[in-house]
Amino acid sequence: MKLATFTFKGKTRVGAVVGDWIVDSLGVKTIPEDMIGFLEGGASSIDAMQQLVAKNTQRIALADVILQAPVPRPRKFLGVGLNYADHIDETELEKPEYPTFFTKQSSCVIGQGAAIHRPKVSEKLDYEGELAFVIGKRCRHVAVDKAHEVIAGYTIANDVSVRDWQFRSATWTLGKSFDTHGPLGPWLVTSDEIGDPHQLALETWLDDEKRQSSNTRHMIFNCFEMIAYLTQAMMLEPGDVITTGTPAGVGVKMKPRGYMKPGQTVRVSIEKIGTLINPVIAEPDSIFPVE
């Protein structure tokens, strides 16, 4: 299934995308309204949604809803750097011995169609098209050959990065966590529909220019290895989002630099999932000024 978090008439809940429609779970007591609750429900949530889809009722035109990020506020939002060989080559950095994880603060998350802000403090606004996976089971010390069992599904991420701020800190956190710099979506595709997540074509476009073109088979550390590594250190929980790195073609390595500018639109497409689209605008004046 394609699971989405969406807003319709001011009410946000979880639904299933079927063609140009979204199956609305409003009022179905067996289906939690938020995605984390839905994933915590496990098989019972999935069964209830499948039954609702089969009824062919409670459908809303997809064009009439606002798609939010599939997990609007994940408990953990982790990224991995330098995970494609061609990206390592363009950065002229060494291949890491272990996965290089960093944190994106969950307050940066936005969904399909929401605007990415070019911040007032920097013009070095870059894109990074990435596959992301979402954890579906609370887990620790997961073996590589069991890791697929704890993934609820896959979505698209744009690991938006403010390059000068990123490299002010060895942890990269600030430069990866500006508000609006965590687009996710347009929906979460359950693992059974994806099959092998390491055979998916990935492209990133800035307006009509293709900037990135690769395949997830070129990852250095695959999704399952990332889970095995992370769960040696921490508990992963339903709704945690982990992005899997970006291939070559980032703006910072273009000559001249290919940073995103207000008025442009960035699109990340991944096979079997869809396309995540976000316009770029100048950061508006502070919404919450200090009085």
Side-chain angles (χ1 to χ4, degrees), residues 94-141:
E94 293 185 4
K95 178 181 176 180
E97 183 178 358
Y98 303 103
T100 304
F101 285 103
F102 57 88
T103 296
K104 288 178 77 77
Q105 300 302 305
S106 63
S107 55
C108 76
V109 173
I110 58 173
Q112 173 83 332
I116 296 167
H117 296 172
R118 186 176 76 174
K120 297 176 183 294
V121 296
S122 177
E123 294 184 352
K124 297 180 179 180
L125 181 67
D126 213 347
Y127 52 83
E128 292 190 7
E130 307 193 12
L131 174 71
F133 58 87
V134 179
I135 297 298
K137 296 180 181 179
R138 192 167 179 262
C139 57
R140 183 86 196 275
H141 294 296

Side-chain angles (χ1 to χ4, degrees), residues 41-268:
S44 63
S45 294
I46 292 291
D47 290 346
M49 186 68 79
Q50 288 175 332
Q51 291 174 25
L52 187 61
V53 170
K55 289 180 180 178
N56 200 27
T57 59
Q58 294 192 206
R59 296 193 174 199
I60 304 170
L62 197 55
D64 293 337
V65 309
I66 299 171
L67 288 173
Q68 309 293 346
V71 187
R73 284 294 178 268
R75 295 181 176 111
K76 302 182 194 71
F77 189 3
L78 302 173
V80 65
L82 303 176
N83 200 34
Y84 282 75
D86 58 356
H87 181 50
I88 292 173
D89 290 343
E90 72 175 353
T91 60
E92 299 180 344
L93 296 172
E94 293 185 4
K95 178 181 176 180
E97 183 178 358
Y98 303 103
T100 304
F101 285 103
F102 57 88
T103 296
K104 288 178 77 77
Q105 300 302 305
S106 63
S107 55
C108 76
V109 173
I110 58 173
Q112 173 83 332
I116 296 167
H117 296 172
R118 186 176 76 174
K120 297 176 183 294
V121 296
S122 177
E123 294 184 352
K124 297 180 179 180
L125 181 67
D126 213 347
Y127 52 83
E128 292 190 7
E130 307 193 12
L131 174 71
F133 58 87
V134 179
I135 297 298
K137 296 180 181 179
R138 192 167 179 262
C139 57
R140 183 86 196 275
H141 294 296
V142 180
V144 172
D145 63 353
K146 296 288 187 181
H148 66 281
E149 298 177 5
V150 306
I151 297 176
Y154 299 84
T155 189
I156 302 170
N158 187 345
D159 178 21
V160 178
S161 305
V162 184
R163 295 302 186 190
D164 48 350
W165 281 65
Q166 176 184 350
F167 295 114
R168 289 179 186 181
S169 169
T171 65
W172 301 351
T173 298
L174 277 183
K176 296 283 191 175
S177 298
F178 276 61
D179 288 351
T180 74
H181 290 186
L184 294 173
W187 35 66
L188 174 68
V189 181
T190 53
S191 298
D192 59 301
E193 289 200 12
I194 295 296
D196 184 359
H198 309 117
Q199 293 290 333
L200 304 175
L202 181 157
E203 292 183 345
T204 302
W205 294 74
L206 191 59
D207 290 337
D208 295 325
E209 181 182 2
K210 186 190 294 185
R211 292 289 186 87
Q212 295 181 293
S213 181
S214 190
N215 192 289
T216 57
R217 67 174 174 267
H218 299 306
M219 289 181 193
I220 294 170
F221 304 103
N222 69 36
C223 300
F224 309 146
E225 291 167 338
M226 291 181 213
I227 289 172
Y229 188 70
L230 279 170
T231 58
Q232 292 179 73
M234 67 185 71
M235 186 78 68
L236 294 180
E237 302 169 286
D240 288 351
V241 175
I242 295 97
T243 65
T244 59
T246 201
V250 293
V252 69
K253 290 302 175 181
M254 295 178 66
K255 295 181 180 179
R257 306 295 192 201
Y259 295 128
M260 297 187 291
K261 299 180 176 68
Q264 295 183 308
T265 298
V266 59
R267 310 191 316 272
V268 184

